[in-house]
Each structure stands twice: as structure tokens, then as C-alpha cells.
Amino acid sequence: MQDKPKLERYRRHAILCAGKKCEPAQDRALMQYLKKRLTEEGLDTGEDMVRANRAGCLGVCEQGPIMVVYPEGVWYCRLNEANIDRIIEMHFKGGKAVSELVFHEAPVCRTPA
């Protein structure tokens, strides 16, 4: 039997929509920018690591691009490079969501151990 895959521990998981309305050119420019900025801010490794992935359509096609951040369950809209920078500074580094970009919050429900 093969070993299971291993992932480095991370504090947050940022999932960026790559649906046709949010990323019409499919050039992944915003995802590339997010990953570049996470690296520049030292958030791509270590205990404060933010794991960034793209997903197909997240089902919210208004005011995109859209990103959801777990474990907080914070959904952001109207993403661009400037707003990504604000999210990195305020949410990922400072621990407070950027309220004017948040359109939904649904913390993950945890089952008692």
C-alpha cells in the first residue's frame, strides 16, 4: 500500500473562483498575483501559511471575482490586486476580515471531539 499524500500545515485556505464570469480570460492572473503576494509576505510557509487554490465556479456570479477563506468561512467579492492586498494585510496578517468586501460569513461547523 502506498503512503498517503502529505500537506504542510496551514492556518487558512483561500479558494479563488476560476469560473467563466470571474476569470473570463482563464489567464489565472489574479491567482498568480495572490500567490506572489503570499510569498512576498512570508505567508506561503510556516505557521501562518495561507494555502491558495482556485476552484471552478463557486456559484456566486455577481460582483466577482469571488474568494472564500476558511476556516472563518468568509466570502469576498469584487477582487482585484488592490483588494487582494487589503485582504492579505487585514485578514491574513491582522486577523480581521475586510468588511466592505465581505458578502457572506459561514464559519465551519465543527463536530465535538
Side-chain angles (χ1 to χ4, degrees), residues 68-75 102-110:
V68 60
V69 178
Y70 289 108
E72 295 95 334
V74 173
W75 290 69
V102 173
F103 70 93
H104 183 74
E105 291 185 69
V108 175
C109 296
R110 299 190 191 276

Side-chain angles (χ1 to χ4, degrees), residues 2 5 8 12 27 29 41 47 49 62 73 80 90 95 97 103:
Q2 292 181 321
E8 195 174 337
R12 292 186 174 90
D27 62 2
E41 295 295 329
E47 67 181 41
M49 180 179 170
E62 297 175 37
N80 56 34
M90 291 178 66
F103 70 93

Side-chain angles (χ1 to χ4, degrees), residues 3 10 14-15 17 20 25 38 43-44 46 48-49 53 83 88 90 95 107:
D3 289 337
Y10 53 91
I15 303 167
C17 182
K20 290 179 182 175
L38 291 173
L43 296 172
D44 60 333
D48 291 328
M49 180 179 170
N53 293 102
N83 288 340
I88 288 171
M90 291 178 66

Side-chain angles (χ1 to χ4, degrees), residues 15-79:
I15 303 167
L16 184 65
C17 182
K20 290 179 182 175
K21 285 192 176 185
C22 288
E23 194 178 41
Q26 297 297 311
D27 62 2
R28 300 184 182 144
L30 201 56
M31 175 56 81
Q32 291 173 2
Y33 182 79
L34 173 60
K35 286 189 172 195
K36 177 184 87 139
R37 292 293 294 123
L38 291 173
T39 299
E40 290 171 353
E41 295 295 329
L43 296 172
D44 60 333
T45 60
E47 67 181 41
D48 291 328
M49 180 179 170
V50 177
R51 182 170 176 78
N53 293 102
R54 65 185 187 94
C57 180
L58 292 174
V60 183
C61 297
E62 297 175 37
Q63 299 183 39
I66 302 293
M67 179 171 65
V68 60
V69 178
Y70 289 108
E72 295 95 334
V74 173
W75 290 69
Y76 287 109
C77 61
R78 299 190 310 270
L79 296 181

